[in-house]
Amino acid sequence: MSEISVNTQIDVDEKLRISSSEKASLNEVEAVPAVPAHLPTIHSATELALNVGLQEFLECKESGLELTPEANKRILRKIDLYILSLMFITSILQFLDKTALNYANLFGIRNDLDLTGSQLNWLASIFYFGYMSGQFPASYLYARFSTGKIIGVCTVLWGITVLAFSFTRNFAAAAVLRYFLGIFEAPITPGLTLAVGYWWTRSEAPLRMNVIYSALGWAGVIGSLMSAGISGDTDSGPIKRWQLVFVVLGSITTAWGFVIYFFLADSPVEAQFLSREDRLLATRRVAQNQVGIKNGQFKLYQVKHALIDIKMWLTIVTIFAAGIPNGVISNFSTELINNLGFSTTNTALLDCVGNLFQVVGLIVGGYVASYIPNTRSLVCTAGNIACLIGAACLAYLPANKTWLRLVAFWWNNVQSVSFSLALNMISVNMSGYTKKQIASALTFIAYCVGNIVGPQFVIQTQTPTFPTATKAMMVGFVVKLVCQAALGFYMLRVNTARDNEMKQHDELDKESERQRAETAGMLDQTEFENKAMRYVL
């Protein structure tokens, strides 16, 4: 593309240009003489090509298109119907396939694979070694290829892997397949987490993120009902019950991968279900997030910005701590409930109730965080306290208090509320695509480590109360509570300092400040460069 000049009349009557030199960071660009020096400027076609949505953002302003409340509702409804549905179903299949081992454990997989000692624990954990291995390759791919294409291919590959698991006959083969299952699933949740910021505004994102993540609970409900149905059968046929779990799930997942490949768009820019005008307005909508959409260039200085960002490190510790109880619950919920004295069928049905706790918690938490401004940290705190109380009851209630212990276990499923909102912080409170990639990869590596560690606290000789596992869950919830409270306090301090600085210098009114933040975000500046950006709390 040749060098072009962009002369657009935008809301505050500025001409914009972008420096084409990567050697100078975007906060050091030179302003056109007629434009105030604090406003970013554009003149390079290279930047228009690298920053996804930038050209549509400028075109929308130039054309005078207005995002009316009616247009906003129409576009949001279409995005929810099309994109949210695809993401939600993909997440259900991912969580079902990942935790299929939990249900197979009810139907004799230990005996058929001759698993001894902690081998089942390691089958649960080794998935996360593969998941961890795939994080940085996934980040590399997302910067260069369409989100839908990557997720579609990975979905087909993980479906085939799940199918293959039904043919395993020993621990070694099962371990290899679990490792590759982790690699193929590695891009899914990080990709969907980042994509939430491509499609929805900051106020809309918490509810949509929690709806997507509620797939974990719905997957649990489906898995529990499936297990309850299978439990009435016998292993007299050629396919045993635990094998049937993998055959059914693997077949459905493989077919779904082709749907995702062809129909999940990368961003509003490529959304064929929207008209040309609505694609421009959809891009303008997410520019309000002040963090941009996507940039195809790796920027080394943004790696440094990520590594010195206290928000990232607090999020990493939070997700690691969340991984410990998650590693216990997601892989051993049926075993923990079964050891309370319930039959196989009742265990599956009672596990279903715990998953409904999770779904309700996520939807309610997401609704509150979306419709009551700056309540995300408070919602996280409430969820963490509820889980801490539940884990404490599990750890210290007598073994004969069966139903009290069961209800306490159900409450631990609410931990997904603060986990989901913590992931959403990456897409809405971090800017600069390279920086977000680094933060996402390191965060999900921490998630893997927590989920590798968690199952190791489930010691078979400690049935039925599993005191080591329940106390480890308590510790995880305490660490998560402290880190998320510290993160909220830090972001509040930064927002207050930036507001005070703006008042002191009297540089811009609020509307001009918002315009500046949106443009800087679309230029792929980090929040350290984009001083006009404010965090959502």
Side-chain angles (χ1 to χ4, degrees):
M1 182 182 290
S2 60
E3 193 79 344
I4 65 172
S5 174
V6 180
N7 293 308
T8 58
Q9 182 69 30
I10 51 180
D11 295 347
V12 289
D13 294 317
E14 298 104 359
K15 291 181 181 178
L16 302 176
R17 68 175 184 174
I18 306 174
S19 170
S20 61
S21 172
E22 177 59 20
K23 293 180 181 178
S25 67
L26 291 172
N27 60 331
E28 297 172 341
V29 296
E30 181 182 355
V32 174
V35 185
H38 52 261
L39 293 172
T41 56
I42 300 171
H43 76 243
S44 171
T46 303
E47 289 291 349
L48 289 171
L50 286 173
N51 290 290
V52 173
L54 176 59
Q55 187 161 338
E56 287 73 16
F57 171 74
L58 295 172
E59 184 179 340
C60 187
K61 291 198 165 206
E62 179 184 15
S63 65
L65 283 174
E66 290 190 15
L67 184 63
T68 63
E70 293 76 16
N72 189 59
K73 288 181 181 178
R74 181 183 70 251
I75 294 169
L76 177 60
R77 186 168 56 250
K78 289 181 179 179
I79 292 173
D80 283 345
L81 180 63
Y82 197 87
I83 299 299
L84 187 59
S85 298
L86 291 173
M87 291 181 172
F88 178 67
I89 295 172
T90 303
S91 294
I92 284 182
L93 292 174
Q94 181 195 13
F95 292 129
L96 268 172
D97 292 347
K98 182 170 66 176
T99 58
L101 190 66
N102 186 24
Y103 303 110
N105 191 25
L106 278 175
F107 302 122
I109 194 173
R110 279 183 186 270
N111 293 332
D112 286 354
L113 299 189
D114 294 323
L115 301 179
T116 59
S118 61
Q119 285 184 330
L120 185 66
N121 302 48
W122 278 109
L123 282 184
S125 293
I126 202 168
F127 168 91
Y128 292 99
F129 282 101
Y131 202 95
M132 186 164 49
S133 302
Q135 287 308 309
F136 280 109
S139 294
Y140 176 86
L141 292 172
Y142 276 126
R144 287 155 180 80
F145 301 102
S146 167
T147 302
K149 298 296 184 286
I150 296 169
I151 293 180
V153 169
C154 289
T155 301
V156 170
L157 291 174
W158 108 53
I160 293 171
T161 306
V162 172
L163 273 170
F165 200 92
S166 62
F167 298 100
T168 54
R169 292 294 179 268
N170 54 57
F171 172 76
V176 170
L177 287 172
R178 287 285 292 179
Y179 179 80
F180 279 101
L181 182 64
I183 290 178
F184 296 141
E185 288 197 26
I188 308 301
T189 301
L192 297 179
T193 299
L194 291 176
V196 166
Y198 306 164
W199 293 99
W200 291 281
T201 66
R202 284 173 153 191
S203 62
E204 298 160 356
L207 180 56
R208 274 72 186 179
M209 185 70 194
N210 280 18
V211 166
I212 293 169
Y213 206 75
S214 73
L216 177 58
W218 288 116
V221 171
I222 294 168
S224 297
L225 294 176
M226 178 181 66
S227 298
I230 293 174
S231 66
D233 201 356
T234 63
D235 287 331
S236 57
I239 299 180
K240 295 192 174 182
R241 287 176 294 176
W242 70 264
Q243 291 175 308
L244 187 60
V245 170
F246 293 103
V247 169
V248 171
L249 294 179
S251 300
I252 295 172
T253 299
T254 303
W256 181 252
F258 290 99
V259 175
I260 291 297
Y261 184 89
F262 290 109
F263 294 104
L264 181 60
D266 189 43
S267 72
V269 176
E270 299 179 1
Q272 296 303 311
F273 61 91
L274 297 175
S275 67
R276 170 65 179 166
E277 179 179 308
D278 282 355
R279 288 200 292 272
L280 296 179
L281 291 173
T283 303
R284 182 69 182 83
R285 269 170 36 87
V286 294
Q288 299 172 20
N289 294 342
Q290 305 174 2
V291 297
I293 296 180
K294 188 174 179 179
N295 184 282
Q297 186 175 16
F298 183 83
K299 298 178 179 179
L300 188 59
Y301 82 92
Q302 291 192 9
V303 177
K304 178 182 177 182
H305 282 199
L307 295 177
I308 63 173
D309 187 359
I310 190 172
K311 300 192 307 301
M312 185 188 78
W313 292 111
L314 286 171
T315 302
I316 285 172
V317 176
T318 295
I319 298 301
F320 165 75
I324 294 174
N326 184 71
V328 175
I329 296 169
S330 63
N331 292 289
F332 294 97
S333 63
T334 56
E335 185 167 351
L336 293 172
I337 294 173
N338 189 241
N339 274 285
L340 290 175
F342 296 102
S343 67
T344 299
T345 301
N346 287 337
T347 293
L349 294 174
L350 291 171
D351 191 35
C352 185
V353 177
N355 289 305
L356 289 174
F357 267 67
Q358 184 176 54
V359 170
V360 173
L362 281 163
I363 300 303
V364 171
Y367 187 88
V368 171
S370 284
Y371 289 96
I372 303 178
N374 293 321
T375 55
R376 299 176 199 214
S377 294
L378 293 177
V379 170
C380 289
T381 299
N384 288 329
I385 290 173
C387 292
L388 180 57
I389 292 172
C393 290
L394 279 175
Y396 297 108
L397 278 175
N400 62 352
K401 302 293 183 180
T402 301
W403 285 99
L404 287 177
R405 290 177 60 81
L406 179 61
V407 173
F409 181 74
W410 284 341
W411 270 109
N412 282 277
N413 287 276
V414 181
Q415 76 118 352
S416 296
V417 177
S418 55
F419 179 85
S420 176
L421 291 176
L423 294 182
N424 188 231
M425 290 292 185
I426 297 172
S427 60
V428 300
N429 277 334
M430 292 185 187
S431 186
Y433 192 69
T434 299
K435 184 186 177 193
K436 287 197 286 189
Q437 284 181 296
I438 297 298
S440 177
L442 291 177
T443 297
F444 278 96
I445 286 173
Y447 167 75
C448 293
V449 174
N451 277 276
I452 289 169
V453 171
Q456 306 312 313
F457 291 110
V458 180
I459 301 171
Q460 294 301 316
T461 57
Q462 295 184 342
T463 59
T465 58
F466 296 98
T468 302
T470 53
K471 289 174 183 176
M473 291 167 64
M474 278 185 63
V475 172
F477 291 135
V478 169
V479 173
K480 191 153 71 92
L481 172 64
V482 172
C483 286
Q484 290 192 301
L487 177 60
F489 178 71
Y490 169 78
M491 292 190 298
L492 177 62
R493 278 190 58 193
V494 173
N495 282 354
T496 302
R498 290 186 175 185
D499 287 342
N500 291 337
E501 185 178 357
M502 176 183 166
K503 291 176 184 177
Q504 182 179 353
H505 291 87
D506 197 26
E507 288 184 344
L508 297 169
D509 58 31
K510 287 187 177 180
E511 179 60 22
S512 297
E513 186 84 348
R514 184 184 64 79
Q515 293 275 347
R516 175 188 173 189
E518 290 180 6
T519 304
M522 294 303 292
L523 292 175
D524 198 47
Q525 291 188 4
T526 70
E527 67 271 30
F528 294 160
E529 299 170 285
N530 183 7
K531 301 297 184 181
M533 177 184 169
R534 298 296 184 270
Y535 299 124
V536 286
L537 304 176

